Amino acid sequence: MNLAAATNENLAQVSNVLIYSSMAVYLLAFFANMAEWIFGSRSKTGRAAAALTAQKPAKTAAAAPAVQVKKNGSTAVLERPQVVTRAASGSRGDVPDGPGASGGDEQGDLYGRIAVSLTALGFLIEFAGVLTRALSVQRAPWGNMYEFSITFSTVAVGVYLALLAMKKNVRWLGLPLVITVLLDLGLAVTVLYTASDQLVPALHSYWLYIHVSTAIFCGAVFYVGAVGTLLYLFKDSYENKLVKGGTPGKFATSVLERLPASASLDKFSYRVNAAVFPLWTFTIIAGAIWAGDAWGRYWEWDPKETWSFITWVAYACYLHARATAGWKGRKAAYLALIAFACWLFNYYGVNIFVSGKHSYAGV
């Protein structure tokens, strides 16, 4: 028995070392992401010159000319090549997506690929830390806020890497993601840390694996959608200023011109939130079934249950607003951010500041 306890204690210490090691790697990834944005930035003149010289005509007779010649009878008509420009006033549907954090620069792209590699390495180390924590307590590592936090950040990074693997244009998400993960892990190891221990009897159920795992996954996806929504608001304001003839500052231009178009960010956030909303609905239903098994009642308006339902209503309002003509765009985006704020309060606020039946293991 003493040997088993010592083994579990050693595994818990290994888990702590792995979590701190992942933070160190994520910090390096943060610097690499910053380098991608800084060294990938180029002046408007440099970007225009690169665009003009991107496709040099081949030195062969079969090379297609840059200007097409159309013969109409005996008359030769020169047709200008089609150029994609920003939309005219009142419509911005043809605004192209930005070149990305690297700004289309090879040096910036190199730093970006290094950042992705470091983020993937940090993910593997953090995943090993979560797994070792689970082995040390011989259960799912979701019994307190510390374990929930390290698992949440692991899943959030996993979602980002999965989107990259699916060839989605989400490299712009790398910098805010790494910053958030570092803040989350810093809070976990300093404020929320709880020594490994066994669960209270009410939590000994297979519903722990179903309910809590889906809650963590939904939170990670909601976070990705919230970042996209926030950046949409900034990019939309930037495009509106350009349409009205304004001149944004150099910093805003350098950052925002490399993000996807506001329409792309809006579509991305909507699809992410809409895709995970049914799973959030299932999470609440699974929690109610578990409550019925553990406490004898499916719903008691416990603070955690109440805020989970409030979060569900907020996201339902957002999805409904997207289908309503007068609430598309910025109004719907504000609703999405309010919904994510509800999720954050349910995640941190209820556990730390409010007492209820979901208050286990301190935090």
Side-chain angles (χ1 to χ4, degrees):
M1 185 65 180
N2 292 333
L3 179 61
T7 301
N8 292 339
E9 181 63 26
N10 291 334
L11 286 173
Q13 293 177 359
V14 171
S15 174
N16 294 340
V17 171
L18 289 171
I19 294 300
Y20 278 103
S21 299
S22 69
M23 293 176 65
V25 176
Y26 284 136
L27 183 61
L28 294 177
F30 164 76
F31 289 124
N33 276 293
M34 287 294 296
E36 179 185 16
W37 281 94
I38 293 173
F39 293 102
S41 176
R42 296 184 293 171
S43 66
K44 184 177 294 186
T45 303
R47 289 195 299 272
L52 292 174
T53 59
Q55 296 181 347
K56 296 181 178 180
K59 295 181 179 180
T60 61
V67 178
Q68 300 293 327
V69 180
K70 182 180 179 181
K71 291 187 177 181
N72 185 10
S74 60
T75 305
V77 180
L78 296 180
E79 292 187 348
R80 294 178 180 272
Q82 184 178 3
V83 179
V84 178
T85 59
R86 293 194 174 274
S89 179
S91 173
R92 290 182 287 130
D94 60 349
V95 176
D97 289 342
S102 65
D105 179 67
E106 292 184 4
Q107 183 183 21
D109 183 66
L110 173 63
Y111 286 115
R113 286 185 276 114
I114 292 173
V116 172
S117 300
L118 289 171
T119 303
L121 177 60
F123 166 77
L124 293 176
I125 296 174
E126 188 181 7
F127 178 79
V130 173
L131 181 61
T132 309
R133 175 76 176 199
L135 294 175
S136 71
V137 294
Q138 299 179 359
R139 57 168 172 80
W142 311 318
N144 50 61
M145 280 295 292
Y146 169 73
E147 296 173 354
F148 195 95
S149 295
I150 61 176
T151 306
F152 168 78
S153 57
T154 304
V155 175
V157 176
V159 171
Y160 167 66
L161 295 176
L163 290 172
L164 285 176
M166 292 187 292
K167 308 297 183 182
K168 302 297 182 182
N169 178 23
V170 292
R171 274 262 289 267
W172 48 269
L173 186 60
L175 182 59
L177 173 72
V178 171
I179 292 174
T180 306
V181 167
L182 285 171
L183 291 175
D184 178 71
L185 292 178
L187 184 63
V189 300
T190 57
V191 178
L192 302 176
Y193 181 78
T194 303
S196 57
D197 199 359
Q198 296 303 312
L199 296 174
V200 298
L203 295 182
H204 285 286
S205 172
Y206 60 88
W207 284 106
L208 172 69
Y209 296 90
I210 301 173
H211 172 66
V212 182
S213 63
T214 54
I216 293 174
F217 179 77
C218 289
V221 178
F222 281 146
Y223 161 76
V224 171
V227 174
T229 301
L230 187 63
L231 293 178
Y232 156 75
L233 291 174
F234 284 108
K235 188 62 181 283
D236 184 65
S237 297
Y238 175 79
E239 291 177 1
N240 279 331
K241 190 169 186 178
L242 289 178
V243 168
K244 294 177 181 178
T247 305
K250 291 183 178 180
F251 177 78
T253 299
S254 174
V255 173
L256 296 176
E257 278 201 354
R258 287 184 277 164
L259 289 175
S262 62
S264 298
L265 289 170
D266 185 41
K267 185 184 298 182
F268 169 80
S269 302
Y270 170 68
R271 288 179 174 177
V272 164
N273 289 324
V276 81
F277 180 73
L279 188 60
W280 180 248
T281 305
F282 170 78
T283 302
I284 297 176
I285 295 173
I289 297 173
W290 187 11
D293 290 344
W295 303 326
R297 295 182 62 180
Y298 293 105
W299 196 269
E300 294 190 3
W301 293 105
D302 180 77
K304 178 69 72 171
E305 294 173 339
T306 303
W307 276 97
S308 296
F309 179 68
I310 291 174
T311 303
W312 184 90
V313 171
Y315 273 106
C317 290
Y318 161 71
L319 295 176
H320 178 72
R322 287 287 310 224
T324 305
W327 278 85
K328 288 183 179 180
R330 298 184 69 88
K331 291 182 180 179
Y334 293 138
L335 282 178
L337 292 180
I338 291 173
F340 184 69
C342 292
W343 188 92
L344 277 181
F345 183 78
N346 190 33
Y347 177 27
Y348 287 110
V350 173
N351 288 65
I352 297 175
F353 303 112
V354 183
S355 297
K357 287 190 173 184
H358 284 77
S359 300
Y360 298 116
V363 290

